[in-house]
């Protein structure tokens, strides 16, 4: 079989070194962003202007041109930023208090269930896959799984919180930089997103690597037990991501829908007008939903795909022969990904200049293309030096011989499938292309045709991504069985730092535009922030596409690991046990979507009533002589999201436990397959429909083309119809759609963690009858 070229010591140095480089680079980007001062030091501004002619910063501050009091404007920006930051921090602390209680309770559940597999015995047990060897007791797996669950949960929470703090730190700075040119604003927003992307990727890798090495001190040569215990890391990450995504999604969309329906449709005032009582809650929501939620979500995907690959590798020749470098191949991919993303980021911030509005979206697309091309080379090098020329991979009871170039193709096909999904998502959600322009054109005849066209667009947008995922599955499974699918998912996520940077860029730009409007800044600045935001809408949709595509591959890999661990020889859909699970599993994404959509609707209803009440009862509010009561709207969003996130979360977390205990592993395998197949389709269509409606509205508002000008301006009938479509799409693209990918991943990883318990004690109903 041979051995890897890279020695074990090299692997042990390379992985943490790449993680540390990622953290240092993130901090360096943060320092650069912090140089934008939230103060009105004119001397500083003019000195900077004289020394830097890059990135479109060749003109004087717009406020100075127009004679606006700069000190007043900057102070307003700082005050608004503080209000948004305080609101976001307050919400996350409240949410994490509730989630913390769940985290402790579920950790106890893991320990009790897994410990009871061998009756809490402290004696060694026969290994699952090699009965000639003795492995560590089930009680040890229970204890270490619990620890890794808590590690994953804490890392996920930290990822979301840090991302939110960075975004709220950068939003007003992006607004202020827009006075100097669109290029300066773009770089500030992008660098801020990069801080989040690199911190998350590096922290996730470093914590996982440290956990493996600490667990190895106890497990020694029992790698099967070690990596089975590590799966708790992925479960912890996705558990927190579920509540972050659902809670944050309900928060942001309740505020957004309330602000839009009363402010824009009924009162005909701009989107982020300071007279709108829901405007602060809306901007807070962008950070807790699209930043904190997305950060936790993609961290969960990364953790689960790594865990799925490690579990399968531990019972293949890598684990059997104790080949550390080959065993940690998934972590090597992620390590190289950090370096590749670092180089790619420089293309956006240093190597190329964004000088006008039209260059924003191409600059972001270039990030995806460059990172994919460089990562392909990186994967080839890692596969050559980190893998033996040939090895075996566990494949449902047998060892399948695989070559290193075949595993390279598995990772590469996942990487390029991610790029295809990204570009298809962009085509269907960007207002630069005909699908969104057709949706905008349908607004001529009212909201009904807008909704019909938007739904049709979403359903159609599913086709190519599903084929891309199908090809990835076929190629990777043919070459390397379930391990191939797991590393294909890692390939899709290998450029996670770049993906998160361009994803976080969107909400930061959105907030920057809101701050510009609330601070009463020039319409020219608002045009620049709107252009940044429109590109950000598309990149956010691309980020969701990556998350959903990787979730499909991750879930399938986890499903394969679960079937192997639960000792299921075949999953036969013609048997009643499996088929009832299949049809119920396919229903779960609909049930989950119904709960999250209704939650947004209920919260939005309270928000609409409150905003209407303030407009009707507070004298001078419409005239701008009185400030609205922002705090009440923030409280409505907070209370509603905390209350409403619990039932959908309980549905996802309890389903595998109930099915596994009462109906057994075969029925549970059907549930996992059904939820995966239907969940991916609904998630893609919901995210793209919502994104298309949002950008159709922005297309009309911008009036950049002759066609768009015939539909506008703001306040026209076509624009009002577009606003209604956008409002319907808000919970689809920011709550239900993105949360569904967590549903399919979380149920799969939870089933894998509890597989020993289900295999031993599950199927109570079938045993009785």
């Amino acid at each position: 079989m041979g051995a890897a070229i890279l020695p074990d010591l090299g692997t042990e140095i390379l992985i943490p070194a790449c993680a540390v480089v990622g953290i240092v680079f993130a901090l360096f980007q943060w320092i650069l962003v912090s140089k934008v001062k939230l103060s009105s030091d004119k001397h500083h501004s003019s000195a900077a202007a004289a020394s830097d002619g890059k990135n479109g910063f060749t003109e004087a501050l717009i406020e100075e041109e127009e004679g606006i009091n700069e000190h007043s404007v900057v102070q307003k920006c700082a005050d608004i930023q503080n209000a948004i930051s305080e609101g976001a921090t307050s919400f996350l602390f409240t949410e994490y208090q509730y989630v913390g209680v769940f985290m402790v309770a579920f950790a106890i559940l893991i320990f009790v269930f897994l410990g009871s597999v061998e009756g809490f015995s402290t004696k060694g047990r026969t290994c699952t896959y090699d009965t000639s060897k003795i492995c560590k007791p089930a009680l040890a797996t229970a204890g270490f799984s619990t620890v890794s669950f808590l590690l994953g949960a804490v890392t996920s929470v930290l990822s979301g919180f840090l991302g939110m703090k960075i975004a709220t730190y950068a939003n007003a700075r992006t607004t202020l930089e827009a006075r100097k040119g669109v290029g300066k604003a773009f770089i500030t927003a992008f660098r801020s997103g990069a801080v989040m992307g690199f911190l998350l990727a590096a922290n996730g890798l470093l914590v996982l690597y440290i956990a493996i090495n600490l667990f190895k001190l106890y497990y020694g040569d029992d790698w099967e037990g070690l990596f089975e215990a590590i799966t708790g890391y992925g479960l912890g990450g996705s558990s927190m991501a579920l509540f972050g995504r659902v809670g944050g999604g309900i928060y942001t969309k309740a505020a957004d829908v309330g602000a839009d329906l009363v402010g824009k449709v009924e009162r005909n005032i701009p989107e982020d007008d300071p007279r709108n009582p829901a405007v602060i809650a809306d901007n807070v929501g962008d950070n807790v939903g699209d930043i904190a939620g997305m950060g936790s979500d993609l961290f969960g995907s990364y953790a689960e795909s790594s865990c799925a690959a490690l579990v399968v590798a531990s019972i293949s020749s890598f684990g059997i022969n104790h080949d550390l470098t080959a065993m940690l191949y998934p972590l090597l991919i992620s390590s190289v990904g950090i370096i590749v993303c670092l180089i790619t980021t420089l293309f956006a911030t240093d190597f190329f200049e964004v000088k006008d509005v039209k260059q924003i979206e191409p600059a972001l697309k270039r990030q995806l293309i460059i990172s994919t091309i460089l990562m392909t080379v990186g994967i080839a090098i890692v596969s050559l030096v980190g893998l033996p020329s040939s090895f075996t991979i566990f494949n449902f009871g047998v060892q399948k011989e695989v070559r290193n170039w075949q595993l390279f193709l598995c990772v590469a096909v996942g990487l390029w499938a991610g790029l295809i999904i990204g570009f298809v998502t962009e085509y269907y959600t960007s207002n630069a292309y005909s699908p969104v322009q057709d949706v905008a054109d349908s607004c001529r005849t009212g909201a009904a045709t807008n909704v019909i066209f938007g739904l049709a667009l979403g359903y159609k947008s599913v086709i190519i991504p599903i084929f891309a995922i199908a090809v990835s599955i076929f190629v990777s499974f043919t070459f390397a069985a379930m391990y191939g699918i797991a590393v294909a998912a890692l390939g899709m996520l290998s450029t996670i730092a770049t993906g998160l940077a361009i994803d976080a860029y969107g909400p930061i730009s959105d907030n920057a535009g809101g701050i510009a409007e609330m601070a009463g800044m020039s319409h020219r600045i608002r045009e620049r922030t709107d252009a940044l935001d429109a590109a950000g809408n598309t990149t956010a949709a691309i980020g969701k596409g990556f998350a959903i595509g990787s979730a499909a591959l991750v879930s399938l890999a986890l499903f394969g690991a679960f079937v192997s661990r639960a000792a299921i020889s075949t999953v036969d859909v013609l048997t009643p046990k499996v088929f009832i699970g299949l049809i119920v599993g396919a229903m779960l994404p609909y049930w989950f979507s119904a709960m999250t959509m209704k939650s947004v609707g209920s919260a939005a209803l309270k928000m609409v009533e409150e905003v209407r009440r303030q407009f009707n009862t507070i004298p001078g509010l419409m005239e701008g002589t009185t400030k609205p009561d922002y705090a009440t709207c923030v409280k409505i969003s907070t209370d509603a999201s905390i209350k409403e996130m619990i039932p959908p979360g309980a549905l996802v977390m309890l389903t595998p436990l109930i099915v596994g205990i009462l109906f057994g592993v075969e029925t549970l395998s059907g549930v996992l397959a059904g939820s995966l197949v239907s969940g991916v389709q609904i998630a893609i269509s919901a995210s793209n429909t919502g994104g298309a409606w949002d950008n159709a509205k922005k297309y009309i508002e911008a009036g950049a083309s002759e066609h768009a000008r015939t539909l506008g301006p703001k306040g026209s009938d076509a624009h009002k119809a577009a606003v209604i479509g956008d409002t319907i799409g808000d919970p689809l693209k920011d709550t239900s759609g993105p949360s569904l990918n967590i549903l399919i991943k979380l149920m799969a990883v939870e089933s894998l963690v509890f597989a020993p318990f289900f295999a031993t004690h599950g199927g109570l109903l079938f045993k009785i009858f």
Side-chain angles (χ1 to χ4, degrees):
M1 292 285 176
I5 297 170
L6 182 67
D8 290 354
L9 180 62
T11 302
E12 290 177 340
I13 294 170
L14 180 65
I15 293 171
C18 289
V20 170
V21 166
I23 293 169
V24 170
F25 184 72
L27 295 176
F28 176 66
Q29 296 296 308
W30 177 77
I31 289 167
L32 292 176
V33 171
S34 67
K35 286 185 177 179
V36 181
K37 300 297 180 187
L38 277 179
S39 66
S40 53
D41 183 352
K42 293 192 179 185
H43 175 74
H44 170 81
S45 299
S46 57
S51 64
D52 187 359
K54 281 186 70 177
N55 303 305
F57 185 8
T58 54
E59 56 190 293
L61 299 188
I62 289 175
E63 274 72 15
E64 290 175 356
E65 290 176 2
E66 300 183 359
I68 296 173
N69 184 324
E70 189 197 352
H71 177 76
S72 166
V73 167
V74 175
Q75 188 58 48
K76 277 184 183 177
C77 288
D79 291 344
I80 295 162
Q81 184 203 54
N82 288 336
I84 294 170
S85 181
E86 286 171 13
T89 304
S90 172
F91 168 73
L92 286 184
F93 273 122
T94 307
E95 182 184 55
Y96 292 157
Q97 285 172 15
Y98 285 84
V99 168
V101 173
F102 157 81
M103 193 165 72
V104 172
F106 205 78
I108 294 168
L109 196 69
I110 292 171
F111 182 77
V112 172
F113 274 35
L114 295 185
S116 67
V117 171
E118 299 279 336
F120 296 97
S121 170
T122 55
K123 294 179 181 178
R125 61 194 168 105
T126 305
C127 295
T128 307
Y129 300 101
D130 186 353
T131 53
S132 64
K133 293 182 179 177
I134 299 297
C135 287
K136 297 293 183 184
L139 191 62
T141 303
F144 281 98
S145 292
T146 304
V147 171
S148 59
F149 168 78
L150 292 171
L151 269 177
V154 170
T155 310
S156 180
V157 164
L158 193 64
S159 298
F161 184 76
L162 285 175
M164 181 279 297
K165 292 302 285 183
I166 291 154
T168 54
Y169 182 82
N171 50 17
R173 286 170 167 80
T174 303
T175 307
L176 293 176
E177 288 295 89
R179 300 175 303 162
K180 306 169 186 174
V182 72
K184 276 288 182 183
F186 170 81
I187 282 191
T188 302
F190 187 83
R191 277 190 171 137
S192 308
V195 176
M196 177 188 176
F198 282 91
L199 275 182
L200 186 144
N203 283 339
L205 175 65
L206 193 59
V207 173
L208 181 57
Y209 176 77
I210 291 169
I212 289 169
N213 279 280
L214 291 177
F215 285 17
K216 200 141 57 88
L217 296 175
Y218 170 79
Y219 277 99
D221 287 342
D222 178 13
W223 285 17
E224 177 191 315
L226 190 163
F227 290 103
E228 188 176 314
I230 283 289
T231 54
Y233 186 69
L235 176 60
S238 264
S239 299
M240 298 305 104
L242 175 69
F243 290 107
R245 260 296 193 196
V246 174
I250 293 168
Y251 186 109
T252 181
K253 292 305 111 181
D256 201 358
V257 170
D260 281 358
L261 285 180
V262 183
K264 287 200 288 191
V265 176
E266 293 181 11
R267 296 284 172 166
N268 201 24
I269 59 177
E271 182 166 353
D272 291 300
D273 195 296
R275 292 172 291 176
N276 194 323
V279 72
I280 293 291
D282 185 11
N283 282 280
V284 169
D286 288 337
N287 294 290
V288 298
D290 295 343
I291 297 279
M294 173 57 95
S296 292
D297 179 7
L298 282 179
F299 166 75
S301 285
Y302 163 74
E304 284 162 335
S305 56
S306 300
C307 291
L310 291 167
V311 167
V312 179
S314 69
I315 51 176
S316 303
S317 65
F318 302 156
I320 295 166
N321 301 332
H322 297 98
D323 186 347
L324 181 70
T325 295
M327 184 71 217
L328 296 183
Y329 177 70
L331 273 62
L332 286 170
I333 293 172
S334 302
S335 302
V336 172
I338 289 173
I339 304 303
V340 163
C341 291
L342 189 156
I343 297 166
T344 306
T345 301
L346 299 177
F347 280 89
T349 58
D350 294 87
F351 299 160
F352 290 100
E353 298 177 24
V354 172
K355 291 182 178 177
D356 59 50
V357 166
K358 291 178 182 177
Q359 293 178 344
I360 298 170
E361 206 163 307
L364 294 169
K365 282 168 64 177
R366 198 159 49 229
Q367 287 287 295
L368 293 174
I369 296 167
I370 293 168
S371 62
T372 302
I373 293 170
L374 292 179
M375 194 62 209
T376 306
V377 177
I379 295 164
I381 294 168
V382 169
S383 302
L384 179 67
V385 302
L387 294 171
S389 58
S390 68
F391 44 89
T392 63
I393 293 294
F394 183 83
N395 180 28
F396 299 111
V398 298
Q399 294 285 344
K400 174 186 174 72
E401 187 165 335
V402 180
R403 311 283 296 182
N404 57 6
W405 63 265
Q406 291 176 313
L407 209 53
F408 158 71
L409 287 178
C410 293
V411 185
V413 78
L415 175 67
W416 283 90
L419 185 68
I420 291 167
I421 291 170
F423 279 136
V424 170
T425 304
E426 187 218 10
Y427 175 73
Y428 280 105
T429 57
S430 171
N431 56 27
Y433 302 105
S434 60
V436 169
Q437 291 174 11
D438 289 344
V439 171
D441 192 66
S442 72
C443 296
R444 291 175 188 275
T445 48
T449 45
N450 180 28
V451 170
I452 292 167
F453 269 68
L455 289 173
L457 177 148
Y459 298 147
K460 193 175 179 182
S461 71
V462 173
I463 299 168
I464 296 175
I466 292 298
F467 276 118
I469 293 168
V471 169
S472 302
I473 291 168
F474 180 79
V475 171
S476 51
F477 188 86
T478 302
F479 283 146
M482 280 298 173
Y483 186 73
I485 292 171
V487 294
L490 263 176
M492 200 176 282
L493 291 165
S494 60
T495 54
I496 188 172
T498 293
L500 266 170
I502 65 173
D503 194 73
Y505 156 90
I508 291 168
S509 300
D510 191 2
N511 262 203
I515 290 170
E517 183 77 52
M518 285 185 273
M521 296 172 82
S522 161
H523 73 281
R524 289 171 59 192
I525 292 179
R526 188 62 212 241
E527 284 172 6
R528 290 172 179 177
T529 56
D530 279 350
L532 293 170
D533 184 24
N537 268 338
T538 303
T539 59
I542 291 171
K544 286 164 191 150
F546 268 98
I548 295 162
S550 63
L553 295 176
V554 168
S555 302
L556 186 55
L558 291 166
F559 174 73
F562 163 74
V563 168
S564 297
R565 185 64 188 85
I568 304 170
S569 54
T570 55
V571 180
D572 186 356
V573 295
L574 297 178
T575 58
K577 281 184 183 178
V578 176
F579 192 80
I580 60 170
L582 197 68
I583 199 163
V584 168
M587 171 273 296
L588 286 173
Y590 291 93
W591 189 0
F592 179 84
S593 296
M595 293 170 88
T596 51
M597 294 279 286
K598 190 176 179 185
S599 295
V600 171
S602 301
L605 188 64
K606 293 175 187 170
M607 187 68 73
V608 167
E609 289 171 349
E610 173 60 22
V611 174
R612 279 180 183 156
R613 182 195 69 77
Q614 291 198 32
F615 273 123
N616 292 331
T617 60
I618 298 178
L621 184 56
M622 271 302 288
E623 291 75 24
T625 56
T626 309
K627 274 193 172 184
D629 179 6
Y630 297 125
T632 301
C633 292
V634 170
K635 187 175 187 306
I636 288 172
S637 268
T638 302
D639 292 348
S641 56
I642 296 296
K643 176 187 168 189
E644 300 284 354
M645 76 178 181
I646 295 169
L651 173 70
V652 178
M653 298 300 294
L654 295 179
T655 295
L657 293 176
I658 293 169
V659 174
I661 293 168
L662 297 181
F663 299 96
V665 289
E666 289 182 327
T667 304
L668 181 54
S669 67
V671 168
L672 296 179
S675 64
L676 166 59
V677 170
S678 77
V680 171
Q681 325 277 344
I682 302 169
I684 294 172
S685 65
S687 294
N688 289 351
T689 291
W693 275 327
D694 194 348
N695 272 343
K697 176 201 72 176
K698 283 187 165 54
Y699 176 75
I700 295 172
E701 288 176 348
S705 67
E706 186 62 38
H707 175 243
R709 285 191 286 275
T710 63
L711 300 171
K714 288 183 181 181
S716 66
D717 289 341
H719 178 248
K720 286 180 179 177
V723 170
I724 291 169
D726 174 38
T727 308
I728 297 168
D730 275 337
L732 285 173
K733 73 179 172 70
D734 289 325
T735 310
S736 296
S739 301
L740 280 171
N741 68 71
I742 304 176
L743 175 142
I744 59 178
K745 291 182 303 185
L746 183 51
M747 285 175 50
V749 74
E750 186 181 340
S751 300
L752 175 59
V753 169
F754 286 103
F757 177 80
F758 296 150
T760 308
H761 301 299
L764 294 179
L765 283 182
F766 290 129
K767 287 175 182 174
I768 294 170
F769 298 108

